[in-house]
């Protein structure tokens, strides 16, 4: 019973933090919201992952997380210090797609379409 | 000379597309801009990578890209169909950081701070 309540408390806490984050972001100008796109997307992703992880986190971890103030913002700041493969993943996509564009363009040139 | 002009034309084209994209996004409500965070961040990343790649793309690829309408939006839509490691990367960060939180919490409990 305690375990289930703890999970619910954790999910309510981070949901509340996300609501406050969203509210604060929406107080800014439109340009500022646009510029904050990476932060917004990361914080939403961190929130969604934490909800998904909540049922398999240890009781002690859940207790620690419930006690920790502004855990979403804290984890976002820590995340900025980690390596990620995002640029390499987009690079791979662009290499593939530009190669396709070149092939299509070559075909059209050969058929005198361009 | 033609090569340099082509690179410049490519960079001007995608810079123009990004300006139009930003303008269009900023016409929406603040909530819509917030919801579009992933798209905004991805399109900016695609733009930045293309600028970086422009000097090493083949002349034919640059020609094809210059001819292609709305290439940023097109590449973003294609990108949605690719696999990426973003979730796994954030997951790794959260696992590490939550383990640290748990250790700190355990230490504090042992010292009767919490």
């Amino acid at each position: 019973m305690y375990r289930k309540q703890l999970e619910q408390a954790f999910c309510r806490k981070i949901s509340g933090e996300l609501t406050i984050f969203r509210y604060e972001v929406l107080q800014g100008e439109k340009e500022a919201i646009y510029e904050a796109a990476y932060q917004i997307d990361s914080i939403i992703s961190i929130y969604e992952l934490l909800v998904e992880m909540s049922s398999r986190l240890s009781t002690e971890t859940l207790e620690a997380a419930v006690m920790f103030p502004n855990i979403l913002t804290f984890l976002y700041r820590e995340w900025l210090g980690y390596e990620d493969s995002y640029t390499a993943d987009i690079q791979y996509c662009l290499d593939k797609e530009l190669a396709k564009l070149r092939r299509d363009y070559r075909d059209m040139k050969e058929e005198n379409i361009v």
Side-chain angles (χ1 to χ4, degrees), chain A residues 26-73:
Chain A
L26 292 179
Q27 299 311 297
E29 298 295 324
K30 286 182 179 181
E31 288 77 4
I33 304 172
Y34 182 95
E35 303 303 333
Y38 179 76
Q39 184 187 9
I40 296 167
D41 181 58
S42 300
I43 287 199
I44 293 172
S45 297
I46 290 169
Y47 165 76
E48 287 173 347
L49 263 173
L50 287 176
V51 169
E52 197 188 299
M53 292 162 76
S54 62
S55 63
R56 58 178 195 275
L57 288 175
S58 73
T59 299
E60 200 174 30
T61 303
L62 283 171
E63 283 173 353
V66 165
M67 302 278 283
F68 199 92
N70 298 320
I71 195 167
L72 286 188
T73 309

Side-chain angles (χ1 to χ4, degrees), chain A residues 104-114:
Chain A
D104 292 347
Y105 177 73
R106 188 176 293 172
D107 291 347
M108 286 195 295
K109 268 207 305 196
E110 280 169 8
E111 291 163 21
N112 294 315
I113 298 172
V114 290

Side-chain angles (χ1 to χ4, degrees), chain A residues 86-100:
Chain A
Y86 187 64
T87 304
D89 290 339
I90 295 195
Q91 180 77 62
Y92 175 81
C93 159
L94 297 183
D95 287 342
K96 291 277 176 193
E97 294 301 321
L98 290 175
K100 279 192 221 165

